[in-house]
C-alpha cells in the first residue's frame, strides 16, 4: 500500500501533502464556496413590497452574545414562526413517506457520500437550521435553538460552524473567518435568496456540487444558458419562487416527489403548493398550433419536462462527484494523510481525487443524465433493510415506476456510484462514526471496524464486527439548471439508433425502435426489385427491343 | 354492353386518333399523388431512421403535412370519382378479369388475340389493372389507414399505455411503406415499356394518346365531346 502511494505521489505533481490528518480547512473552504455577495433582489413567491425595515427595530440593535439571542429577538415579533418552523423537515430531519411508509429524513437515511448524519451530528448538523445539535441531548422543543439567520441573512456575512470539534487536526477549521457582526445581520434579514439555500443545498455530500449535479454555487449568478429561471438575465428566481412555502413548510422535497403533475397551474390566481414545472407551465406548454408542439405535448405525458430541458448535468463550471471508493480511505504517506487534486473543473478549481479521510473520487461535468421511469416513489435502502446483494450495484434509493404506469414518466438522474462500508455478514448498511474528538471516530483513528462499531452502538444495532465495501448506486433526480428552450435536447438525440433513452423498457421511438427482420426484408425487397428492373432494362436494350408489350 | 368497342360482332374498321384519355383532374391527381408519395417515402424513411442525415423534427413535420395533404387530395379525388362517374372505370375491369386469365391460360397458345386493347374507356391492360388493384386495395389503404392512426397517436396515446398499440401501428405502416416503395419502382419502370421509353409518361403529362377508334366513336366524339379529340 505504501509503495503504490509513493508512486502516486511521485507521478502527480499536484499531489498535496498535509501535515494534518485531514485537510480540515478544505472542508471549510468547500462548505462556504458560495462567493460572499449580498443577496440582490431575487424573485420570491413570498410577500413583496416590504412593510418593515428591520434596521429600525429596537430589538435588533443588539448586542447579541450568540445567534440564539438573535432568534429570541426575531420570535419576539414573529410569534408563530418558531412553532411553524419546528414542524418542517429543515428542523426535524425526520420524514415518513406517506406512499412507501419508509422512515426517511437526514437523521435516518444513509446515503453513499458521507454515509450518515446519525452519530456525526457535530459535523453534519452544520446544515441543520438550529444551534448546537451535536448529540442526542439536543433540545428540539426550544425555539431559541432555531437558526433564523442562515436562511434569512441578506448580507452574505453569516456562516455556521460545526457544532462540536472534530479530531485535533480538524481544529483549524474556520480559522481566519471574520467574526460575524450579529446586529448588522439581524438588521438585514429578508426572504431567502439562492445563496441562503445554497449554503447547505449546494454543498450536500461534502462540498460544492458534490451531491446533486444540478445544484452548486454556479447558481448564485448563473448565465441564462445555465439556468433560465435563476439567471439574473432571465427570471432571477430565488429558490422559493418555485419551492413555495406554507408556514415554513417548503414544497418540493425529494423524499416525496410528484413525477407527473396533472393538475397544472390550476385556476388563475390559485395558490401553487408544489414545485413542479407544470404548476406554472401547465402540462401542455409547447408552442401551438405547431405540429411539433402537439407532438411535444404528447411526449410530456410520458417524459418529464426535465428530460428534454436539462440537456446535461453540472454545466456551470462546478463538477459533481460520480464515484467514491471508501475502501481506499486511510492511506498514508510517511505516516501522514494526504490529498490528491487531479481533477480540474470548468471554473479552473481543482478537486480532490483522493483524500485519506474519504478515499478515491471521480468527477464529471457537462454529461448526459441517466434516464429512468419514475412514478415519484423511491424505495430507500435504509439501516433496517436486509440487503440482497446478488445484483450489484445495490440501489441506495431505487427509482420506482415503469412504462405501464400512466403516472410514471421518464426522468433524468445523476447516478452516484460508491463502494460503501457495510456489514457483509448481517447484510445491512452501517452507521459510521466519522466525526468526533474521541478514539473511535474514523476521521482521526482510521479504523473502520472501530468507527462502524461505535456508529452502530448509538441505536444498539447489530454489527457482526466485519466491514466490507458494497458497490452501490444512488439516483439524484435532475431538475435544476433548466436550459433555454433552444438548448433543449433535440428530437434526434433520442430518435436515433444510439438514443439517449436506449435500453429503457416499454418505449417505441421511430428511428430507434425498429423491427430488425422487417427492415432487412423490406430493404432486401426494395433493392432486389431495383436490381431486377435494371437487369430487365439492360436486357431490353441489349436485345434491341423497344417494346415489351403486345398491345398499344 | 356499355363498352362501344367491344359491342360489335364483326370488328369495324378502326382508325388511330389522338384522344384525351386522362382528364385534367386525373393528371393533376396522379402527379400530385406521385409527388406526395415521393415526399412521404423520403420523409417517412427519414423518420424511420434510414436517412440519418435528415433532421428528425424536419422529417416529422414534412411527413405529417404531406400526409395531411395526401388525405385532402384523396377526399377530393373520391368526390371526383363519384361526381364524374369515373368510379365505373373499375367495374368492367373486374368483370373482364376472367377473359384475361383465359387468355394467359390457353388463348395465348392457340394464337387468340389479346382480349384488351387500350380504348376510349379502358386505359390499362390486365396485368396493370391487377397491379393497380393490389395497390389501390391493399398497399394504399394499409399505408393510409395505419398512417392516419399513427398521426392521431396524441389522441389515443394515454389509452394505449402498456399495450402494443403503437408498435403494431408502426409495424403495419412500415411494412406497407416498404411495399409501396417497391411498387413505385416497378410502376416507374413499367412506364418505360410503352411505344417509346417516355411514351406513357408523356401521355400522363399531356393526357393524349393515340387510340384506335371506330367510325361510330369518332362521330360521337366529334359531335358531342370534340374537346377530347386531338389532331
Ligand atoms: C396518408 C398517408 C400517410 C400518413 C397519414 C402517414 C403518417 C405517418 C406518421 C404519423 C408517422 C409517424 C412519424 C411521424 O410522427 O411523422 C409515419 C411514419 C412513417 N411513414 Fe408515414 N404516413 C403516410 C404515408 C406514408 C407513405 C406513402 C410512406 C412511404 C412510402 C410512409 C412511410 C413512413 C415510414 C417508413 C415511417 C416510419 C415508421 C416508423 O419507423 O415507425 N408513410 N407516417
Amino acid at each position: 500500500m505504501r509503495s503504490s502511494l509513493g508512486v502516486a505521489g511521485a507521478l502527480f505533481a499536484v499531489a498535496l501533502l498535509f501535515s494534518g490528518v485531514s485537510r480540515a480547512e478544505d472542508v471549510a473552504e468547500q462548505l462556504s464556496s458560495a462567493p460572499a455577495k449580498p443577496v440582490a433582489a431575487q424573485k420570491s413567491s413570498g410577500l413583496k413590497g416590504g412593510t418593515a425595515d428591520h434596521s429600525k427595530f429596537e430589538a435588533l440593535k443588539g448586542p447579541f452574545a450568540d445567534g440564539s439571542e438573535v432568534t429570541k429577538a426575531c420570535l419576539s415579533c414573529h410569534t408563530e414562526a418558531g412553532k411553524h418552523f419546528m414542524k418542517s423537515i429543515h428542523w426535524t430531519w425526520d420524514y415518513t413517506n406517506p406512499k412507501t411508509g419508509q422512515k426517511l429524513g437526514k437523521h435516518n437515511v444513509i446515503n453513499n457520500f458521507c454515509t450518515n448524519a446519525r452519530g456525526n451530528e457535530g459535523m453534519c448538523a452544520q446544515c441543520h437550521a438550529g444551534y448546537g445539535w451535536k448529540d442526542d441531548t439536543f433540545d428540539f422543543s426550544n425555539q431559541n435553538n432555531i437558526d433564523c439567520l442562515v436562511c434569512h441573512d441578506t448580507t452574505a456575512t453569516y456562516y455556521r460552524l460545526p457544532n462540536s470539534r472534530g479530531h485535533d487536526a480538524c481544529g483549524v477549521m474556520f480559522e481566519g473567518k471574520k467574526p460575524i457582526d450579529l446586529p448588522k445581520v439581524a438588521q438585514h434579514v429578508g426572504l431567502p435568496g439562492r445563496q441562503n439555500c445554497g449554503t447547505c443545498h449546494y454543498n450536500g455530500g461534502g462540498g460544492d456540487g458534490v451531491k446533486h449535479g444540478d445544484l452548486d454555487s454556479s447558481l448564485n449568478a448563473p448565465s441564462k444558458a445555465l439556468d433560465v429561471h435563476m439567471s439574473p438575465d432571465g427570471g432571477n428566481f430565488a429558490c422559493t419562487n418555485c419551492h413555495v412555502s406554507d408556514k415554513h413548510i417548503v414544497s418540493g422535497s425529494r423524499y416525496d416527489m410528484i413525477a407527473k403533475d396533472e393538475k397544472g397551474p390550476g385556476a388563475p390566481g390559485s395558490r401553487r403548493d408544489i414545485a413542479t414545472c407544470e404548476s406554472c407551465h401547465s402540462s401542455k406548454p409547447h408552442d401551438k398550433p405547431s405540429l411539433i408542439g402537439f407532438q411535444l405535448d404528447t411526449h410530456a405525458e410520458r417524459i418529464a419536462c426535465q428530460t428534454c430541458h436539462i440537456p446535461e448535468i453540472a454545466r456551470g463550471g462546478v463538477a459533481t462527484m460520480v464515484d467514491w471508493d471508501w475502501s481506499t480511505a486511510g492511506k498514508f504517506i510517511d505516516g501522514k494523510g494526504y490529498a490528491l487534486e487531479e481533477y480540474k473543473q470548468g471554473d479552473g478549481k481543482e478537486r480532490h481525487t483522493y483524500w485519506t479521510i474519504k478515499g478515491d473520487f471521480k468527477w464529471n461535468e457537462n454529461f448526459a443524465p441517466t434516464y429512468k421511469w419514475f412514478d415519484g416513489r423511491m424505495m430507500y435502502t435504509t439501516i433496517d433493510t436486509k440487503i440482497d446483494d446478488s445484483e450489484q450495484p445495490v440501489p441506495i434509493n431505487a427509482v420506482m415506476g415503469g412504462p405501464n404506469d400512466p403516472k410514471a414518466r421518464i426522468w433524468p438522474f445523476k447516478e452516484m456510484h460508491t463502494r460503501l462500508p457495510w456489514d457483509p455478514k448481517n447484510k445491512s448498511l452501517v452507521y459510521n462514526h466519522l466525526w468526533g474528538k474521541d478514539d473511535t471516530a474514523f476521521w482521526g483513528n482510521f479504523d473502520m471496524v472501530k468507527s462502524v462499531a461505535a456508529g452502530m452502538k448509538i441505536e444498539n444495532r447489530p454489527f457482526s464486527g466485519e466491514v466490507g465495501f458494497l458497490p452501490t448506486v444512488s439516483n439524484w433526480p435532475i431538475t435544476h439548471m433548466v436550459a433555454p428552450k433552444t438548448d433543449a435536447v433535440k428530437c434526434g438525440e433520442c430518435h436515433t439508433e444510439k438514443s439517449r433513452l436506449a435500453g429503457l423498457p416499454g418505449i417505441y421511438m421511430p428511428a430507434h425502435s425498429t423491427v430488425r427482420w422487417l427492415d432487412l426484408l423490406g430493404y432486401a425487397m426494395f433493392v432486389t426489385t431495383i436490381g431486377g428492373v435494371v437487369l430487365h432494362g439492360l436486357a431490353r436494350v441489349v436485345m434491341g427491343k423497344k417494346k415489351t408489350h403486345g398491345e398499344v | 354492353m356499355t363498352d362501344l368497342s367491344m359491342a360489335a360482332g364483326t370488328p369495324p374498321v378502326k382508325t388511330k386518333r389522338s384522344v384525351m384519355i386522362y382528364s385534367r383532374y386525373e393528371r393533376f391527381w396522379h402527379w400530385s399523388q406521385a409527388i406526395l408519395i415521393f415526399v412521404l417515402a423520403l420523409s417517412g424513411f427519414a423518420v424511420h431512421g434510414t436517412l440519418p442525415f435528415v433532421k428528425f423534427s424536419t422529417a416529422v413535420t414534412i411527413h405529417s403535412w404531406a400526409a395531411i395533404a395526401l388525405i385532402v387530395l384523396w377526399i377530393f379525388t373520391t368526390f371526383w370519382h363519384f361526381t364524374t362517374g369515373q368510379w365505373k372505370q373499375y367495374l368492367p375491369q373486374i368483370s373482364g378479369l376472367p377473359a384475361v386469365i383465359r387468355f394467359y391460360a390457353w388463348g395465348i397458345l392457340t394464337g387468340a388475340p389479346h382480349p384488351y386493347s387500350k380504348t376510349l374507356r379502358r386505359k390499362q391492360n390486365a396485368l396493370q389493372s391487377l397491379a393497380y388493384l393490389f395497390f389501390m386495395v391493399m398497399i394504399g389503404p394499409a399505408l393510409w389507414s395505419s398512417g392516419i392512426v399513427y398521426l392521431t397517436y396524441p389522441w389515443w396515446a394515454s389509452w394505449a399505455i402498456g399495450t402494443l398499440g403503437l408498435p403494431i401501428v408502426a409495424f403495419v405502416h412500415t411494412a406497407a411503406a416498404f411495399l409501396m416503395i417497391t411498387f413505385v419502382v416497378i410502376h416507374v419502370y413499367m412506364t418505360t415499356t410503352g411505344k417509346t421509353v417516355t411514351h406513357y409518361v408523356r401521355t400522363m403529362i399531356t393526357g393524349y394518346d393515340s387510340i384506335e377508334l371506330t367510325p361510330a366513336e369518332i362521330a360521337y366524339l366529334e359531335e358531342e365531346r370534340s374537346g377530347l379529340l386531338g389532331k
Side-chain angles (χ1 to χ4, degrees):
Chain A
M1 191 156 99
R2 290 278 156 104
S3 71
S4 70
L5 284 171
V7 173
L11 268 177
F12 304 112
V14 285
L16 304 169
L17 298 170
F18 301 101
S19 52
V21 169
S22 70
R23 201 186 157 208
E25 64 274 40
D26 226 72
V27 178
E29 185 203 333
Q30 287 192 1
L31 290 181
S32 60
S33 53
K37 268 198 207 132
V39 180
Q42 295 173 16
K43 200 176 166 208
S44 302
S45 63
L47 299 172
K48 289 177 199 82
T51 53
D53 180 349
H54 285 85
S55 68
K56 294 190 175 142
F57 289 136
E58 208 53 44
L60 299 180
K61 291 258 146 66
F64 301 109
D66 55 21
S68 177
E69 286 197 359
V70 180
T71 299
K72 231 181 275 175
C74 300
L75 295 174
S76 68
C77 287
H78 297 275
T79 56
E80 305 310 299
K83 272 175 253 167
H84 292 166
F85 184 71
M86 281 179 165
K87 295 213 177 89
S88 84
I89 195 173
H90 282 133
W91 178 255
T92 63
W93 277 17
D94 187 32
Y95 180 81
T96 301
N97 184 308
K99 290 179 198 149
T100 63
Q102 283 192 309
K103 199 169 160 60
L104 306 171
K106 195 174 160 90
H107 187 55
N108 306 304
V109 295
I110 292 173
N111 71 20
N112 60 359
F113 292 89
C114 280
T115 67
N116 49 294
R118 189 77 178 109
N120 300 308
E121 289 87 353
M123 172 71 194
C124 304
Q126 246 191 124
C127 278
H128 177 249
Y131 292 115
W133 184 4
K134 51 181 184 288
D135 53 37
D136 288 353
T137 62
F138 180 70
D139 184 359
F140 281 92
S141 64
N142 182 355
Q143 295 189 8
N144 296 336
N145 282 345
I146 296 170
D147 181 351
C148 306
L149 297 178
V150 69
C151 302
H152 293 286
D153 165 43
T154 62
T155 65
T157 59
Y158 182 81
Y159 58 88
R160 289 171 53 84
L161 298 168
N163 293 324
S164 71
R165 289 182 76 81
H167 212 261
D168 275 355
C170 305
V172 294
M173 192 165 250
F174 297 132
E175 262 174 22
K177 278 244 168 197
K178 263 206 262 163
I180 304 166
D181 180 351
L182 284 174
K184 182 184 158 202
V185 174
Q187 288 164 28
H188 293 89
V189 288
L191 294 170
R194 293 188 291 275
Q195 45 275 68
N196 293 95
C197 306
T199 308
C200 292
H201 292 281
Y202 293 161
N203 293 300
D208 195 8
V210 168
K211 186 189 278 178
H212 287 281
D214 65 340
L215 283 177
D216 59 51
S217 62
S218 67
L219 291 175
N220 278 342
S223 67
K224 208 171 166 184
L226 176 58
D227 193 304
V228 282
H229 298 108
M230 295 192 242
S231 172
D233 308 325
N236 200 18
F237 286 11
C239 309
T240 54
N241 202 39
C242 298
H243 292 273
V244 288
S245 64
D246 183 5
K247 299 195 177 73
H248 272 92
I249 310 285
V250 180
S251 67
S253 167
R254 181 172 44 79
Y255 286 131
D256 183 14
M257 290 182 63
I258 298 168
K260 184 179 183 182
D261 174 5
E262 282 159 311
K263 280 208 205 101
S270 67
R271 190 173 179 286
R272 291 181 299 111
D273 53 357
I274 45 175
T276 60
C277 309
E278 294 94 322
S279 69
C280 280
H281 291 283
S282 93
S283 55
K284 300 194 184 310
H286 300 97
D287 285 346
K288 283 173 289 291
S290 137
L291 210 135
I292 296 291
F294 280 114
Q295 294 283 8
L296 293 179
D297 280 356
T298 311
H299 279 63
E301 297 257 319
R302 306 309 331 263
I303 295 170
C305 314
Q306 290 89 336
T307 295
C308 300
H309 290 281
I310 307 172
E312 283 176 343
I313 298 173
R315 300 199 312 279
V318 177
T320 189
M321 197 183 284
V322 292
D323 196 286
W324 183 333
D325 187 354
W326 270 100
S327 73
T328 58
K331 293 194 287 195
F332 302 89
I333 295 176
D334 297 332
K336 290 168 189 160
Y338 66 102
L340 304 178
E341 290 187 340
E342 287 158 13
Y343 186 91
K344 193 172 181 178
Q345 68 185 23
D347 67 4
K349 203 176 152 199
E350 278 162 350
R351 307 300 297 257
H352 288 147
T353 47
Y354 179 77
W355 196 2
T356 298
I357 68 166
K358 292 183 173 181
D360 280 296
F361 307 129
K362 289 198 186 100
W363 302 86
N364 206 350
E365 45 194 319
N366 303 310
F367 62 107
T370 307
Y371 300 96
K372 305 183 186 209
W373 286 103
F374 181 41
D375 64 9
R377 286 176 309 140
M378 285 187 175
M379 287 306 286
Y380 281 75
T381 300
T382 68
I383 189 84
D384 297 312
T385 310
K386 185 93 181 164
I387 293 173
D388 171 11
D389 63 332
S390 60
E391 248 181 72
Q392 295 181 354
V394 169
I396 292 295
N397 56 337
V399 175
M400 310 303 281
N404 298 347
D405 175 1
K407 287 248 180 297
R409 295 198 293 179
I410 295 169
W411 270 72
F413 293 90
K414 182 199 121 176
E415 278 193 348
M416 171 69 190
H417 290 265
T418 301
R419 276 164 59 82
L420 194 65
W422 76 311
D423 182 336
K425 286 235 176 78
N426 290 341
K427 302 235 177 246
S428 80
L429 294 182
V430 291
Y431 285 148
N432 198 353
H433 178 49
L434 297 166
W435 176 267
K437 203 181 170 184
D438 56 55
D439 63 352
T440 56
F442 185 75
W443 292 343
N445 302 292
F446 298 100
D447 183 338
M448 191 88 74
V449 172
K450 239 168 135 183
S451 61
V452 167
M456 295 302 269
K457 214 174 144 226
I458 302 168
E459 293 181 356
N460 282 320
R461 292 183 174 273
F463 173 52
S464 71
E466 203 175 299
V467 173
F469 294 93
L470 179 71
T472 60
V473 60
S474 57
N475 297 291
W476 301 90
I478 296 299
T479 187
H480 306 101
M481 298 189 179
V482 173
K485 63 179 170 188
T486 44
D487 294 346
V489 172
K490 300 283 172 294
C491 309
E493 292 181 54
C494 291
H495 289 273
T496 177
E497 205 181 330
K498 294 194 181 65
S499 172
R500 279 185 184 235
L501 303 184
L504 270 181
I507 50 173
Y508 181 87
M509 293 187 298
H512 176 69
S513 329
T514 50
V515 182
R516 256 196 91 65
W517 65 262
L518 176 68
D519 272 13
L520 288 179
L521 207 70
Y523 295 132
M525 179 175 68
F526 181 65
V527 171
T528 315
T529 306
I530 289 184
V533 155
V534 168
L535 281 182
H536 195 269
L538 280 178
R540 271 165 63 204
V541 173
V542 169
M543 296 169 78
K545 279 172 99 184
K546 289 229 165 94
K547 265 172 50 171
T548 56
H549 277 223
E551 42 77 61
V552 178
Chain B
M1 294 287 107
T2 50
D3 201 326
L4 292 169
S5 66
M6 290 188 71
T10 41
V13 186
K14 291 182 180 178
T15 21
K16 280 210 164 189
R17 290 291 299 266
S18 172
V19 183
M20 178 186 275
I21 59 163
Y22 297 117
S23 73
R24 188 192 292 259
Y25 185 81
E26 245 173 328
R27 280 175 285 141
F28 163 75
W29 166 48
H30 173 269
W31 286 116
S32 43
Q33 169 161 279
I35 291 166
L36 283 175
I37 287 183
F38 204 72
V39 169
L40 280 164
L42 278 177
S43 58
F45 278 95
V47 168
H48 188 62
T50 312
L51 312 167
F53 43 86
V54 183
K55 226 175 97 190
F56 189 82
S57 55
T58 311
V60 167
T61 309
I62 293 174
H63 196 73
S64 308
W65 283 119
I68 291 165
L70 189 63
I71 293 167
V72 170
L73 179 68
W74 217 41
I75 291 169
F76 269 109
T77 303
T78 309
F79 188 68
W80 175 83
H81 267 105
F82 282 97
T83 51
T84 59
Q86 274 292 320
W87 58 278
K88 291 189 193 119
Q89 176 72 22
Y90 301 97
L91 291 184
Q93 290 203 347
I94 295 165
S95 64
L97 259 178
V100 85
I101 291 171
R102 261 198 311 278
F103 168 75
Y104 282 112
W106 60 81
I108 200 165
L109 304 173
T110 60
H114 197 289
Y116 281 115
S117 56
K118 199 178 243 176
T119 67
L120 183 57
R121 304 281 172 87
R122 179 158 300 126
K123 298 153 191 174
Q124 300 144 354
N125 77 29
L127 260 181
Q128 259 177 312
S129 69
L130 261 181
Y132 292 155
L133 205 67
F134 184 60
F135 172 75
M136 298 288 276
V137 176
M138 300 292 298
I139 307 176
L143 198 50
W144 290 315
S145 55
S146 62
I148 289 166
V149 177
Y150 210 153
L151 199 62
T152 56
Y153 175 65
W155 286 287
W156 53 271
S158 52
W159 171 82
I161 287 174
T163 72
L164 287 178
L166 182 60
I168 289 172
V169 170
F171 180 90
V172 172
H173 194 67
T174 310
F178 275 121
L179 287 172
M180 173 66 86
I181 57 173
T182 306
F183 171 84
V184 167
V185 170
I186 296 170
H187 175 67
V188 169
Y189 179 70
M190 293 294 266
T191 65
T192 69
T193 60
K195 273 191 285 239
T196 67
V197 168
T198 55
H199 174 79
Y200 286 151
V201 175
R202 219 174 317 122
T203 305
M204 193 43 101
I205 293 171
T206 62
Y208 287 95
D209 196 4
S210 60
I211 290 186
E212 290 189 330
L213 294 178
T214 61
E217 282 172 343
I218 293 173
Y220 162 77
L221 287 172
E222 277 174 346
E223 266 173 40
E224 307 280 327
R225 314 286 303 273
S226 59
L228 293 182
L229 272 180
K231 278 131 263 160

